[in-house]
Amino acid sequence: MKSMLRQSIIYRICSVGKVSLSTLLRFRTMSVDERIVADLPVALESGAFKNEVECSKLELSQKRPIEDVGDFEAKKLKPEEDKLWPFRKKKLAMLLVYSGKGYLGMQKNTGFKTIESDLFDALVKAGVVRPDHIEQPGAKMGFQRAARTDKGVSAAGQVVSLKMFVDVDQALKKINDNLPAQIRVLGLKRTTKGFDAKNGCSYRTYIYITPTFAFAPLEELVKEDYRITEDVCENVRGIIKMYTGTHNFHNFTSGKKPNDPSAKRYIMEFAVGQPFVHDGLEYVVLTVRGQSFMMHQIRKMVGLTMAIVRGFANMDTLKRSWEVEKVDVPKAPGLGLVLDKLHYDAYNKRFGNDGMHEAIDWSQYKDEIERFKEEFIYPTIFATEKNEKSMLKWLATLPLHDYEYKIYDGSGQGYANKLQEAKLLLVSEKSSETSEVKSPDQEAKPLVDRVIEETAPT
């Protein structure tokens, strides 16, 4: 503030006293005593510039119109509509937990029920954001989610960054009062102006809860009373350990070419927990931690692991999936996937102890997070699996995947699936007598029905 006043006074002296630019430049580097004897007769004759204290008083008490300040940019006046919102707007990090059952993912999608659509409605009703800002949340309120969860996927530690009014009384309570019970905002923290929940995240932790019968060997009948053995658990550990490190995961998402640098992702840890029984079904929790994940990546990592353990694929399939060839990788159901925690180590190291900002650490909400998991996330996963048998039905589709590679032609036009061409030729030869060519899907349908019958619980 002081330096701005001094600079303003200098320009005032130049304009009032008709002082040359060279004199002005010398004046800026002079001490107070040197300025008194400088060639500034008009300014000194006025008697207003005896010392810097008098200059400051004059600047504060006798302000001229903004346009007379010289080259200084005029302060922008607030639009009329902003006067209706006399609150301070600050950048915040918001801790969000939710059960994804019944939602088409996290990201707002006009015409569909998503987590963000309900959150934006609650923010407006609570009076912490303007209604017109949710139409362009990124540009108007700096909104950014740390992770984009898919349909049916839950979160026990989602973080979003946004600008909102911080002077609203009991803002957190008002937001939650306008949210459904399966979505809760647990905490808010002030951040730097440039904080971005997605780009500022150092790494992410997900868990995947699955019935253990998903790992039953092919020779065993899949039943709900299946109990996993230690040998099978060791087999699973050996397979998922292969994922750690940096690999090209272009086969574990959609729309990525093998030469796309963004397809390379770093997996820090992939572990399997101890099995447990709930309502007659045995479950196991897989925990994966990595810098970032692409769409469907974790579900495909889990799906291929199950296919290998069951005997439909082998370790060569996994190794080939990281190479240039296109590999048919199955995608496990989204029901058991949960965004467990987001880590902001780099941000916290730089800003967490600067005395002005809070560390993005939600450990004080640990008990509330666990209660929400026990009340909403876990029961939804267990009840849906018990009633809808999503994993059991998905396992019946594993034989439909060929797990073979498709040669990348390098032209950018896609892949040439040699195996599919062979299948079409074989079907054509079998149907040549009747002149009726059946599609591979028609031949596969009886196989699906048979597998479902064979794997259905008794």
Side-chain angles (χ1 to χ4, degrees):
M1 180 67 180
K2 186 177 179 180
S3 63
M4 291 182 64
L5 288 174
R6 184 183 296 116
Q7 199 169 11
S8 176
I9 293 166
I10 292 171
Y11 278 94
R12 294 276 183 88
I13 292 173
C14 182
S15 60
V16 174
K18 302 295 190 289
V19 181
S20 65
L21 179 61
S22 60
T23 303
L24 173 64
L25 294 176
R26 286 191 294 108
F27 182 85
R28 296 183 64 182
T29 60
M30 290 178 182
S31 65
V32 176
D33 293 335
E34 291 172 333
R35 293 175 188 176
I36 294 176
V37 297
D39 185 18
L40 301 171
V42 177
L44 291 175
E45 285 176 4
S46 67
F49 303 105
K50 294 181 180 180
N51 52 53
E52 290 192 2
V53 176
E54 292 296 322
C55 290
S56 299
K57 289 180 179 179
L58 178 66
E59 178 68 21
L60 293 174
S61 61
Q62 299 179 356
K63 288 185 177 180
R64 295 188 180 185
I66 293 177
E67 59 269 16
D68 292 342
V69 177
D71 293 336
F72 286 98
E73 182 180 358
K75 184 178 180 181
K76 294 181 179 179
L77 297 176
K78 289 185 176 181
E80 289 297 326
E81 59 267 20
D82 282 351
K83 296 179 181 179
L84 301 176
W85 301 87
F87 305 111
R88 293 180 302 153
K89 185 188 291 184
K90 299 296 181 182
K91 193 68 170 288
L92 301 174
M94 174 185 290
L95 175 63
L96 192 67
V97 294
Y98 54 84
S99 171
K101 176 71 173 179
Y103 285 88
L104 195 70
M106 170 72 181
Q107 189 172 6
K108 183 179 179 180
N109 192 348
T110 305
F112 297 93
K113 185 179 181 181
T114 65
I115 300 296
E116 284 184 7
S117 61
D118 280 5
L119 175 63
F120 290 160
D121 288 345
L123 293 177
V124 171
K125 292 177 180 178
V128 296
V129 300
R130 286 173 40 174
D132 57 313
H133 284 183
I134 64 173
E135 300 301 325
Q136 295 178 296
K140 296 293 187 179
M141 50 193 277
F143 184 88
Q144 180 61 269
R145 70 200 71 80
R148 184 181 64 182
T149 53
D150 297 334
K151 176 183 177 181
V153 176
S154 302
Q158 175 72 281
V159 176
V160 300
S161 52
L162 75 161
K163 295 177 183 177
M164 58 175 272
F165 301 125
V166 295
D167 296 328
V168 178
D169 187 38
Q170 295 183 322
L172 191 63
K173 181 180 183 301
K174 290 180 179 179
I175 295 172
N176 284 319
D177 287 345
N178 290 285
L179 283 172
Q182 68 185 89
I183 305 176
R184 295 286 94 181
V185 175
L186 298 186
L188 298 167
K189 289 182 181 288
R190 286 281 299 275
T191 66
T192 60
K193 291 182 179 179
F195 174 73
D196 185 292
K198 178 183 177 182
N199 297 329
C201 185
S202 299
Y203 53 98
R204 299 153 172 84
T205 300
Y206 285 81
I207 61 174
Y208 192 91
I209 305 173
T210 176
T212 57
F213 61 66
F215 298 110
L218 191 58
E219 60 270 14
E220 294 190 34
L221 185 64
V222 177
K223 299 175 65 176
E224 291 186 336
D225 60 356
Y226 174 83
R227 298 295 180 262
I228 196 169
T229 64
E230 184 59 31
D231 290 341
V232 175
C233 280
E234 281 298 319
N235 189 19
V236 175
R237 292 189 185 99
I239 296 170
I240 62 178
K241 187 177 180 180
M242 295 290 293
Y243 285 107
T244 57
T246 302
H247 301 285
N248 189 336
F249 286 96
H250 72 97
N251 279 309
F252 293 80
T253 186
S254 58
K256 291 284 184 183
K257 296 179 181 179
N259 55 359
D260 190 337
S262 65
K264 290 187 176 181
R265 301 296 165 116
Y266 175 61
I267 306 300
M268 306 167 68
E269 180 185 3
F270 204 171
V272 57
Q274 293 298 318
F276 62 94
V277 178
H278 179 85
D279 197 17
L281 278 176
E282 186 181 58
Y283 293 88
V284 71
V285 179
L286 305 177
T287 303
V288 58
R289 183 175 295 114
Q291 283 185 338
S292 61
F293 299 93
M294 295 177 290
M295 182 175 62
H296 304 323
Q297 181 182 340
I298 297 177
R299 292 168 61 185
K300 288 204 169 194
M301 291 165 64
V302 173
L304 185 55
T305 300
M306 293 174 176
I308 295 174
V309 174
R310 296 216 65 208
F312 292 104
N314 52 43
M315 294 303 292
D316 288 337
T317 308
L318 176 58
K319 294 175 182 177
R320 286 201 315 271
S321 69
W322 296 325
E323 298 175 357
V324 177
E325 294 85 1
K326 183 69 175 178
V327 177
D328 185 9
V329 177
K331 180 176 63 179
L335 174 64
L337 185 60
V338 180
L339 173 59
D340 193 51
K341 190 175 182 180
L342 297 165
H343 310 264
Y344 292 89
D345 295 2
Y347 175 88
N348 292 340
K349 184 177 180 180
R350 183 176 180 182
F351 300 107
N353 297 314
D354 64 358
M356 296 182 293
H357 305 96
E358 298 180 83
I360 309 300
D361 179 22
W362 311 103
S363 56
Q364 67 266 43
Y365 301 104
K366 181 179 179 181
D367 293 340
E368 294 179 60
I369 293 174
E370 288 301 319
R371 281 197 298 270
F372 187 86
K373 287 180 179 178
E374 296 290 341
E375 186 176 354
F376 291 97
I377 297 179
Y378 296 152
T380 298
I381 294 174
F382 297 145
T384 304
E385 180 59 43
K386 187 74 174 179
N387 298 328
E388 300 180 10
K389 308 186 187 306
S390 60
M391 179 59 72
L392 194 64
K393 293 178 180 178
W394 176 80
L395 288 175
T397 67
L398 284 180
L400 303 181
H401 295 270
D402 54 43
Y403 306 99
E404 295 291 339
Y405 69 91
K406 303 171 186 179
I407 303 172
Y408 181 60
D409 57 23
S411 65
Q413 299 300 318
Y415 299 87
N417 187 350
K418 300 301 181 182
L419 183 62
Q420 185 70 5
E421 292 177 4
K423 282 184 176 180
L424 290 172
L425 180 61
L426 180 62
V427 172
S428 178
E429 290 177 350
K430 287 182 178 179
S431 306
S432 59
E433 296 182 0
T434 60
S435 300
E436 180 183 353
V437 180
K438 297 182 180 180
S439 69
D441 292 339
Q442 288 175 309
E443 289 209 338
K445 190 176 186 305
L447 175 61
V448 177
D449 296 337
R450 188 171 69 253
V451 172
I452 292 176
E453 291 175 1
E454 292 176 354
T455 59
T458 57

